[in-house]
Amino acid sequence: MQWELRTEKGQPVELPLEVTSFRGGLATIVDAQPPQHPGSTGRVFTHAGGEYFPSVYGLQWVKVQEEDGELNAAVRLMSRIGGSFAAALATAYWAGDSDNRARILAGWPDLIERYRRMAQGGADD
């Protein structure tokens, strides 16, 4: 089991991340610590040296299965380096519920697998 820091919309966070607190303050999150026990929410650390609960910035830690972590890495890569279609699929994936995410995975398995291999450091076909 591994942890992944996500936005309110369920998208994985890539650091550094510019954020706005619930009070409207701007900050840049540069590091994060996942929960250490079931009652913890973990922490996020700002460029200015502050330590905060993730919810201050609309973030949360989510447990993911190892295979989900690989899939999430592939979808993040689609968003960052993919063409407009791959990036749009990545956006739809993060916005979707589990049924719609399954539809995206079933509809474009070759595309998803290509980015999964790239995320694992494999060569692109």
Side-chain angles (χ1 to χ4, degrees), residues 4-14 17-19 29 54-55 57-62 94-95 101:
E4 192 167 73
L5 187 61
R6 294 193 182 174
T7 66
E8 290 174 329
K9 295 182 179 181
Q11 293 183 314
V13 168
E14 290 194 36
L17 176 69
E18 291 184 14
V19 292
I29 296 177
S55 59
Y57 296 105
L59 305 172
Q60 64 180 345
W61 286 100
V62 176
W94 295 127
R101 286 181 176 190

Side-chain angles (χ1 to χ4, degrees), residues 3-110:
W3 291 95
E4 192 167 73
L5 187 61
R6 294 193 182 174
T7 66
E8 290 174 329
K9 295 182 179 181
Q11 293 183 314
V13 168
E14 290 194 36
L15 300 177
L17 176 69
E18 291 184 14
V19 292
T20 303
S21 74
F22 66 89
R23 293 184 179 159
L26 299 176
T28 301
I29 296 177
V30 295
D31 200 6
Q33 178 182 8
Q36 300 298 306
H37 56 82
S40 175
T41 61
R43 298 291 185 271
V44 294
F45 304 94
T46 65
H47 185 269
E51 177 180 334
Y52 300 93
F53 294 113
S55 59
V56 169
Y57 296 105
L59 305 172
Q60 64 180 345
W61 286 100
V62 176
K63 277 187 178 182
V64 294
Q65 299 289 337
E66 192 63 39
E67 59 272 12
D68 291 343
E70 292 175 5
L71 175 60
N72 291 344
V75 176
R76 279 195 302 274
L77 198 58
M78 288 171 62
S79 182
R80 282 196 351 249
I81 69 167
S84 58
F85 183 77
L89 275 180
T91 299
Y93 180 85
W94 295 127
D97 59 17
S98 60
D99 290 339
N100 285 318
R101 286 181 176 190
R103 287 184 180 123
I104 289 169
L105 296 176
W108 292 276
D110 295 342

